[in-house]
Amino acid sequence: MQNKDTQTHILMVASGLFASKGYSAVSMRDVASAVGVTVANLYYHFKDKEELIRASLSHVFFERMSPLEGLLQQYASLDDRLEAFVSWIVQVIFGDELFTRLVFRELMDGTDERLEYLNKTVFQEPFDLLVNLIAECSGEAAPVMTAVSVVSLVLGNYQLARVLPYLTGASVESSSIEAVTRQVLLVLRSTLAPRAARRKV
Amino acid sequence: MQNKDTQTHILMVASGLFASKGYSAVSMRDVASAVGVTVANLYYHFKDKEELIRASLSHVFFERMSPLEGLLQQYASLDDRLEAFVSWIVQVIFGDELFTRLVFRELMDGTDERLEYLNKTVFQEPFDLLVNLIAECSGEAAPVMTAVSVVSLVLGNYQLARVLPYLTGASVESSSIEAVTRQVLLVLRSTLAPRAARRKV
DNA sequence: GTCTATATGCGGATAGAC
DNA sequence: GTCTATCCGCATATAGAC
């Protein structure tokens, strides 16, 4: 694995470090020693730290893109597709911490330029798919806002998983992939149900 | 404002820098020069950088705690209280970027110890209030999971606001405090409505 | 309390040998 | 491609004068 392709090896190690500690908390020395090469070697492959960061992001984001559209077409009913979508996104967010943490870091500190890249590479296609799916399910709800809500539910459940154990009565299992999928679907279906949701409770 | 209380002045400036750039991206020099004192002076008031970070967090989190319980008691009906709660949390998250960004940074990189502190100081009381409110509204839904969903919706809408402009059809106004409040309430009420939400759409 | 001065090591980055 | 050696400014942190 060492000499297969140093550049790729560097990117794998660097992206892991950046994801877990943040860009400025990780030095070129840190990366080099984790990879098992010298700092000078890093600079042979990447012009500077900024380029290493960008390349790490590209590497992770590009690698992770799966054929979502094909996946959804396997399902006939709209509801099955919704379920497949939610199941997919929860699995991505909860199952790939490296990817997910990099996304959060970009949302926090990414430049406009880098965010636009993230958007084109990662968000645009699945988001449009979701918006269309929701639009077909319900003429009532604003599809974009509902789609944002779905994504928010998944992201929030991930982020809050770290503090939930401290909050009384919140068991660890409520942050499992299955539980979150169920909860998001429950909320989504309620929202899409076209009946009087605004009644006073 | 300079000589009123240097320590407080330092904390205000430091917390702003930490919130916007991240802990490791901000050096003691940065803080000192932004405050208008020397680095040595910083070390007179705070033992080391870690202590300055902790003190900044305490400063912000302590300052921001408002009497939420009293606010809710002004409303008679459960639904009005729900609305008041959602309105409150959206205003906190969207209206106080310094606070919100520090929360996100802690959720990402905070140590267990610091997260526990955040929890006790900030999350516990409003979260319990919300859980109880939801439990009273509906015997059906799991109140804790629903409460997590509410918080997730608010956090997610905030984080996604930065990429929404890039996504087709998403206008900037959908991230306004009013729009988000409306959307969260809409979703929450749908979820709490005890009718058959699981029907196929 | 706040400063000047300084210690010591880490940070990004490069030149040139192999 | 990868290394050794090095530059130099910045980082955290302290001692001691005022």
Side-chain angles (χ1 to χ4, degrees):
Chain A
M1 180 175 289
Q2 171 72 9
N3 271 7
K4 185 178 59 182
D5 186 350
T6 305
Q7 183 140 340
T8 306
H9 189 199
I10 292 173
L11 289 177
M12 292 189 328
V13 173
S15 57
L17 287 173
F18 288 142
S20 73
K21 303 208 219 175
Y23 309 120
S24 44
V26 175
S27 69
M28 297 298 272
R29 286 162 139 90
D30 291 336
V31 176
S33 86
V35 173
V37 295
T38 59
V39 175
N41 195 277
L42 253 43
Y43 280 94
Y44 170 78
H45 290 286
F46 305 95
K47 179 173 138 267
D48 54 18
K49 190 180 178 180
E50 173 69 19
E51 200 188 282
L52 176 59
I53 294 173
R54 281 172 193 268
S56 299
L57 292 173
S58 293
H59 179 72
V60 171
F61 294 156
F62 183 79
E63 290 269 299
R64 300 307 193 280
M65 282 297 82
S66 49
L68 175 60
E69 191 156 10
L71 180 81
L72 292 188
Q73 283 171 348
Q74 297 175 350
Y75 300 91
S77 83
L78 284 177
D79 190 71
D80 284 347
R81 287 194 199 176
L82 268 187
E83 187 166 335
F85 183 95
V86 170
S87 186
W88 170 81
I89 191 176
V90 173
Q91 241 152 327
V92 168
I93 296 298
F94 279 74
D96 191 345
E97 284 217 79
L98 199 154
F99 168 84
T100 303
R101 288 178 66 86
L102 285 180
V103 168
F104 280 125
R105 293 205 186 282
E106 288 302 293
L107 288 178
M108 273 295 275
D109 298 315
T111 61
D112 284 352
E113 185 202 347
R114 253 157 55 178
L115 267 188
E116 203 179 340
Y117 169 78
L118 178 69
N119 215 61
K120 274 191 233 162
T121 323
V122 181
F123 292 157
Q124 190 74 67
E125 191 214 318
F127 189 79
D128 286 348
L129 237 41
L130 178 60
V131 170
N132 288 335
L133 214 46
I134 290 172
E136 288 181 79
C137 286
S138 161
E140 184 187 359
V144 169
M145 298 209 78
T146 308
V148 170
S149 294
V150 170
V151 179
S152 295
L153 284 170
V154 182
L155 297 185
N157 269 277
Y158 175 85
Q159 286 180 297
L160 293 175
R162 261 201 85 191
V163 329
L164 266 192
Y166 299 116
L167 297 168
T168 324
S171 60
V172 185
E173 305 91 58
S174 39
S175 299
S176 71
I177 291 188
E178 296 74 25
V180 172
T181 307
R182 244 181 289 120
Q183 171 68 10
V184 174
L185 274 171
L186 181 73
V187 173
L188 176 58
R189 284 175 177 141
S190 306
T191 307
L192 289 178
R195 282 143 301 112
R198 292 160 181 271
R199 79 174 183 109
K200 303 289 178 177
V201 287
Chain B
M1 181 176 288
Q2 171 73 9
N3 272 5
K4 185 177 60 182
D5 186 351
T6 305
Q7 184 139 339
T8 306
H9 189 200
I10 293 173
L11 289 177
M12 292 191 325
V13 173
S15 58
L17 287 173
F18 288 141
S20 74
K21 303 207 215 177
Y23 309 121
S24 46
V26 174
S27 68
M28 296 298 271
R29 284 160 136 90
D30 291 336
V31 176
S33 87
V35 174
V37 295
T38 59
V39 175
N41 194 277
L42 252 44
Y43 281 94
Y44 170 78
H45 290 285
F46 305 94
K47 179 173 139 269
D48 55 18
K49 189 180 178 180
E50 173 69 19
E51 200 187 282
L52 176 59
I53 293 173
R54 280 172 194 268
S56 299
L57 292 173
S58 293
H59 179 71
V60 171
F61 293 156
F62 183 79
E63 289 271 298
R64 300 307 194 279
M65 282 297 82
S66 49
L68 174 60
E69 191 156 10
L71 181 80
L72 292 188
Q73 283 171 347
Q74 297 176 350
Y75 299 91
S77 83
L78 285 177
D79 190 72
D80 284 347
R81 288 192 200 177
L82 269 188
E83 187 165 334
F85 184 95
V86 170
S87 186
W88 170 80
I89 191 177
V90 172
Q91 240 151 328
V92 169
I93 296 299
F94 280 74
D96 191 345
E97 284 217 79
L98 198 154
F99 168 84
T100 302
R101 289 179 65 86
L102 285 180
V103 168
F104 280 125
R105 293 205 185 281
E106 287 304 293
L107 287 177
M108 274 295 274
D109 297 316
T111 61
D112 284 351
E113 186 203 346
R114 252 158 54 180
L115 267 188
E116 203 179 337
Y117 169 79
L118 178 69
N119 214 61
K120 275 191 234 161
T121 324
V122 180
F123 292 156
Q124 191 73 66
E125 191 215 319
F127 189 79
D128 286 348
L129 237 41
L130 177 60
V131 170
N132 288 336
L133 213 46
I134 290 172
E136 289 182 79
C137 286
S138 160
E140 184 187 1
V144 169
M145 298 210 79
T146 309
V148 170
S149 293
V150 170
V151 178
S152 296
L153 284 169
V154 182
L155 297 185
N157 269 278
Y158 175 85
Q159 286 180 295
L160 293 175
R162 262 201 85 191
V163 330
L164 266 192
Y166 299 116
L167 297 168
T168 324
S171 59
V172 184
E173 304 92 58
S174 40
S175 300
S176 72
I177 290 189
E178 296 75 24
V180 172
T181 306
R182 244 182 289 120
Q183 172 67 11
V184 174
L185 274 172
L186 180 73
V187 173
L188 175 58
R189 284 175 176 144
S190 306
T191 307
L192 289 179
R195 283 143 298 112
R198 290 159 182 274
R199 79 175 183 107
K200 303 288 176 177
V201 287

